[in-house]
């Protein structure tokens, strides 16, 4: 079985916990966004005082991303050891590094890992940021004071590496993350996560409840995505 076949099987076997009407809305939203397509070529974008070079195969920070970036900046303390899971262009890793943290930034997408290295140099934090390919915690060692994770919101099979940033087949990666996160946190470690009603928020909340972490919703906003009202929430777990 190829990796794509495995992802398709996991996605098709997943049974969402949100109501059927919301499943249909999410599915239609995915289809409509897919028809729009992505940007072609590398983009240079500003993000909370940073300059990011983002290749077409890596997700560009979206309009609500500064909400998560601000939460990460508020949470990081100088000297923290930080893990940025699913780092993408490295925006959150760089914010943590600018605050004085030492950061390991990991992603399944090798183009994202390369982009982090470029962006760390561009923003003068290359000495504080290490970028590495990793399937969830597969290439991660040790413990961290803070883990940051902006997971894919949806459960469908990804079409390619670029799509992995937005969809996690059957929530394989998200489920594994919650199963293994605690063993990668220090005694006083905490996590900052992002999720939205573009995905199965009921399943996310189930994982949070079962994890045993103390949980607080830090920020919530509702924004239109192709005329669909979507809730985006920053979660703090400790």
């Amino acid at each position: 079985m190829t990796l794509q076949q495995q992802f398709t099987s996991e996605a098709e076997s997943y049974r969402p916990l949100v109501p059927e009407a919301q499943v249909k809305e999410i599915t239609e939203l995915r289809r409509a966004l897919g028809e729009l397509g992505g940007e072609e070529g590398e983009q240079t974008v500003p993000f909370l005082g940073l300059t990011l070079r983002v290749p077409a195969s890596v997700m560009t920070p979206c309009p609500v991303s500064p909400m998560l970036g601000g939460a990460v900046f508020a949470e990081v303390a100088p000297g923290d050891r930080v893990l940025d899971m699913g780092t993408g262009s490295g925006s959150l890793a760089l914010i943590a590094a600018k605050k004085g943290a030492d950061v390991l930034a990991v992603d399944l997408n090798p183009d994202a890992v390369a982009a982090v290295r470029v962006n760390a140099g561009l923003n003068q934090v290359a000495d504080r940021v290490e970028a590495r390919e990793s399937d969830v915690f597969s290439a991660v060692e040790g413990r961290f004071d803070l883990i940051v994770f902006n997971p894919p919101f949806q459960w469908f099979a990804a079409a390619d590496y670029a799509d992995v940033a937005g969809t996690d087949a059957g929530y394989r990666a998200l489920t594994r993350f919650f199963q293994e996160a605690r063993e990668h946190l220090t005694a006083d470690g905490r996590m900052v996560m992002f999720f939205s009603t573009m995905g199965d928020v009921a399943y996310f909340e189930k994982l949070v409840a079962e994890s045993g972490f103390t949980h607080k919703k830090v920020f919530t906003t509702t924004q239109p995505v192709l005329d669909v009202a979507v809730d985006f929430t920053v979660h703090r777990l400790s």
Side-chain angles (χ1 to χ4, degrees):
M1 179 183 291
T2 67
L3 187 61
Q4 183 60 42
Q5 289 171 329
Q6 177 185 339
F7 284 172
T8 300
S9 175
E10 289 171 342
E12 289 177 347
S13 64
Y14 179 74
R15 297 293 175 263
L17 299 185
V18 291
E20 182 61 30
Q22 191 172 352
V23 172
K24 291 180 179 178
E25 183 176 73
I26 292 168
T27 303
E28 175 58 26
L29 191 57
R30 173 171 170 77
R31 183 198 62 76
L33 288 170
E35 289 179 351
L36 288 178
E39 297 288 340
E40 294 185 2
E42 182 180 88
Q43 299 181 74
T44 300
V45 298
F47 183 78
L48 296 179
L50 303 170
T51 299
L52 303 175
R53 291 178 182 166
V54 188
S57 55
V58 176
M59 180 175 284
T60 304
C62 67
V64 295
S65 296
M67 182 173 74
L68 178 58
V72 170
F73 184 82
E75 186 66 40
V76 172
D80 274 351
R81 186 171 189 235
V82 176
L83 172 64
D84 182 17
M85 179 69 66
T87 186
S89 63
S91 59
L92 303 177
L94 271 58
I95 284 173
K98 285 286 189 180
K99 192 83 178 282
D102 292 312
V103 187
L104 174 60
V106 300
D107 204 291
L108 186 65
N109 183 351
D111 292 345
V113 174
V116 173
R117 292 170 180 157
V118 169
N119 288 327
L122 187 63
N123 291 276
Q124 293 81 49
V125 290
D127 59 330
R128 289 193 171 274
V129 178
E130 178 187 355
R132 187 184 299 173
E133 286 183 48
S134 185
D135 182 2
V136 196
F137 291 103
S138 65
V140 174
E141 307 92 23
R143 294 179 180 269
F144 299 83
D145 303 295
L146 175 65
I147 297 176
V148 179
F149 191 20
N150 180 6
F153 295 149
Q154 301 184 328
W155 63 87
F156 309 104
D160 50 33
Y161 268 131
D163 202 21
V164 167
T167 190
D168 168 20
Y171 290 125
R172 178 193 66 89
L174 185 64
T175 303
R176 182 178 164 195
F177 174 84
F178 273 101
Q179 291 171 343
E180 301 178 16
R182 191 176 293 279
E183 65 190 65
H184 289 282
L185 284 169
T186 60
D188 297 322
R190 64 271 188 216
M191 303 196 300
V192 172
M193 299 186 69
F194 203 39
F195 211 73
S196 92
T197 52
M198 286 180 67
D200 188 350
V201 70
Y203 184 69
F204 176 82
E205 291 175 347
K206 177 176 181 289
L207 291 176
V208 170
E210 292 175 347
S211 70
F213 287 104
T214 299
H215 173 226
K216 179 181 179 181
K217 293 181 178 180
V218 181
F219 297 115
T220 299
T221 188
T222 301
Q223 299 290 334
V225 178
L226 298 184
D227 297 324
V228 176
V230 175
D231 296 336
F232 297 89
T233 303
V234 178
H235 303 259
R236 184 185 190 275
L237 298 94
S238 61

